[in-house]
Amino acid sequence: GILQHPDGTVLKQLQPPPRGPRELEFYRKVYDSDCRDSVLLELREYLPKYFGVWSPPTAPNDTYLKLEDVTRKFNKPCIMDVKIGQKSYDPYASAEKIQQQVSKYPLMEEIGFLVLGMRVYHVSSDSYETQNQHYGRSLTKETVKDGISKFFHNGYCLRKDAIAASIQKIEKILGWFEGQKQLNFYASSLLFVYEGSCQATTVRLGDVSLAEKRGVPKGLLAGGDILEYNNNIHVINSTENGKIEASVGKGLSKFYALHKKAYSKRHHSQLSLKVEGLEQDNVWKSSTCITQEHLNGNVIPQLEKVFCHMPHEIKESASVEVRMIDFAHVFPSNTKDEGYIYGLKNLITVLQNILDN
């Protein structure tokens, strides 16, 4: 499973040999401070940042990769893990391993990707809907489009802004793959994250903002200050001097590695949160989401305006991350990674069809 370090990074325990050492070597090669290879330097843009290895004082022989928490900046992160490529087994896999992998999803070669899981925030119910790997394996050529679109639907409408931003980021990764012949990737994934909260980014709503429409929403403190908190934490209660007692949430890191079977229990720790002022100039900025009592009356058309009819410049700046993860099966090569390229192109086509239709 994935653990959270108190400094905000995540810890991925090294897998048994040869997978774990191979993934560690991959990160060390890409993030080598002496690296001058333009291909690898560009690749860093599409990975979680790597901060070396870490071992707990109580178990010095246990090694963890210390990685950037890609979901950390989001308030209500919607997360999807998609395995990319026509083959989920590497060139050195045994016949038994190949048969096992193919039987899990026979359509992998034709579709080129597999949804390993997703977690979608629904504004209407202020809750998450979760799908596991069995959901992805149930998708066929005919249903994969609807299966993927489910990730971008917030309960009210389709988040076309997030789809468009995701396509742009995948296209950049595709450009990297089409320009390199050094590495081939097997059983590697793309991690998609977008902001599910309607208040998580600064959004201009014209003459009437949601805050003005409904008064002071939950999350605003006395004096116009806004309680801003990260998706990693769950607010428990207010204390003096504007500080907040908080505990690490249990739902986040699990979905950083949706396809892993074993999840680790995370210990609660208390944090202090900073209270920041409310921006003016007819802009409503808050990282708390509208609660159920505000989702009625004429606030619904405003929500639709935010999610479905945002101006072009807002859509382009949608808060979306697409990162490559899981590198236990990366091998040197002298040819393009055609299987991965096929998967990326097919995924872009599916997303574009969702957007167009």
Side-chain angles (χ1 to χ4, degrees):
I2 300 290
L3 302 175
Q4 287 177 312
H5 192 279
D7 66 5
T9 58
V10 293
L11 302 168
K12 178 182 179 181
Q13 189 165 21
L14 217 60
Q15 300 176 67
R19 292 174 296 168
R22 191 186 294 134
E23 184 166 30
L24 175 57
E25 177 58 29
F26 169 81
Y27 275 111
R28 283 178 169 169
K29 180 178 181 179
V30 173
Y31 284 94
D32 188 335
S33 58
D34 295 326
C35 178
R36 298 294 180 267
D37 187 331
S38 60
V39 170
L40 298 183
L41 291 175
E42 183 186 347
L43 178 59
R44 293 179 184 178
E45 297 177 30
Y46 314 122
L47 312 182
K49 292 183 178 65
Y50 170 67
F51 300 102
V53 294
W54 179 88
S55 295
T58 55
N61 294 326
D62 291 347
T63 304
Y64 293 80
L65 297 170
K66 201 163 186 285
L67 303 169
E68 172 191 7
D69 182 353
V70 179
T71 70
R72 183 174 174 81
K73 70 179 182 180
F74 296 89
N75 176 43
K76 298 289 185 182
C78 297
I79 308 170
M80 178 170 65
D81 186 333
V82 182
K83 185 182 290 187
I84 305 293
Q86 291 178 286
K87 297 177 180 178
S88 56
Y89 54 88
D90 64 51
Y92 302 98
S94 64
E96 182 183 2
K97 179 69 172 179
I98 293 174
Q99 183 180 5
Q100 178 196 51
Q101 290 297 313
V102 171
S103 65
K104 285 183 177 180
Y105 194 55
L107 292 173
M108 190 77 180
E109 187 166 358
E110 189 171 356
I111 294 179
F113 61 84
L114 167 63
V115 177
L116 292 172
M118 65 176 69
R119 178 184 189 235
V120 187
Y121 179 71
H122 285 180
V123 179
S124 54
S125 59
D126 189 23
S127 63
Y128 283 96
E129 178 184 357
T130 302
Q131 303 290 348
N132 61 21
Q133 55 189 331
H134 299 293
Y135 171 80
R137 290 175 187 164
S138 72
L139 300 178
T140 65
K141 289 182 295 180
E142 292 74 28
T143 62
V144 69
K145 175 185 164 186
D146 291 338
I148 293 283
S149 67
K150 195 180 189 78
F151 174 63
F152 294 99
H153 204 287
N154 66 4
Y156 280 121
C157 64
L158 196 64
R159 285 290 303 275
K160 290 191 173 185
D161 59 317
I163 299 173
S166 296
I167 291 173
Q168 290 177 0
K169 290 183 180 292
I170 300 171
E171 285 176 337
K172 289 183 178 180
I173 295 173
L174 175 59
W176 181 85
F177 270 92
E178 290 184 323
Q180 69 91 24
K181 297 181 179 180
Q182 294 186 31
L183 299 169
N184 280 5
F185 295 72
Y186 302 90
S188 185
S189 292
L190 289 184
L191 186 74
F192 291 77
V193 191
Y194 72 87
E195 179 55 67
S197 171
C198 49
Q199 305 174 10
T201 54
T202 299
V203 177
R204 296 180 181 275
L205 297 177
D207 296 332
V208 182
S209 74
L210 286 170
E212 293 167 342
K213 196 83 174 174
R214 303 298 301 171
V216 180
K218 183 179 179 181
L220 287 178
L221 304 180
D225 287 333
I226 286 182
L227 166 62
E228 297 209 4
Y229 58 91
N230 188 273
N231 58 283
N232 287 358
I233 55 182
H234 171 69
V235 176
I236 295 178
N237 63 287
S238 300
T239 59
E240 296 180 0
N241 302 322
K243 299 256 178 136
I244 304 296
E245 299 276 345
S247 66
V248 176
K250 293 185 178 180
L252 166 68
S253 291
K254 179 165 69 174
F255 288 93
Y256 191 91
L258 278 163
H259 55 296
K260 303 302 180 189
K261 291 183 179 179
Y263 300 136
S264 300
K265 292 182 179 178
R266 286 172 289 284
H267 298 288
H268 285 68
S269 60
Q270 291 191 334
L271 306 169
S272 292
L273 301 182
K274 185 178 179 182
V275 176
E276 298 180 354
L278 175 64
E279 288 191 4
Q280 301 301 319
D281 190 29
N282 198 30
V283 174
W284 183 27
K285 184 188 180 197
S286 173
S287 61
T288 59
C289 188
I290 294 180
T291 51
Q292 187 63 44
E293 61 262 30
H294 301 110
L295 294 176
N296 51 36
N298 49 15
V299 78
I300 299 301
Q302 291 293 329
L303 281 173
E304 291 174 346
K305 186 175 181 181
V306 173
F307 283 123
C308 308
H309 308 291
M310 288 190 294
H312 188 63
E313 63 272 12
I314 296 284
K315 290 183 180 180
E316 285 187 344
S317 61
S319 185
V320 174
E321 289 286 355
V322 179
R323 303 288 186 92
M324 297 169 60
I325 60 171
D326 297 330
F327 308 110
H329 302 276
V330 179
F331 296 90
S333 175
N334 54 13
T335 61
K336 287 185 180 181
D337 191 340
E338 297 295 350
Y340 203 107
I341 290 173
Y342 176 90
L344 289 178
K345 287 182 175 179
N346 217 23
L347 181 55
I348 290 172
T349 299
V350 170
L351 290 173
Q352 194 63 54
N353 285 339
I354 296 171
L355 201 57
D356 294 342
N357 298 329

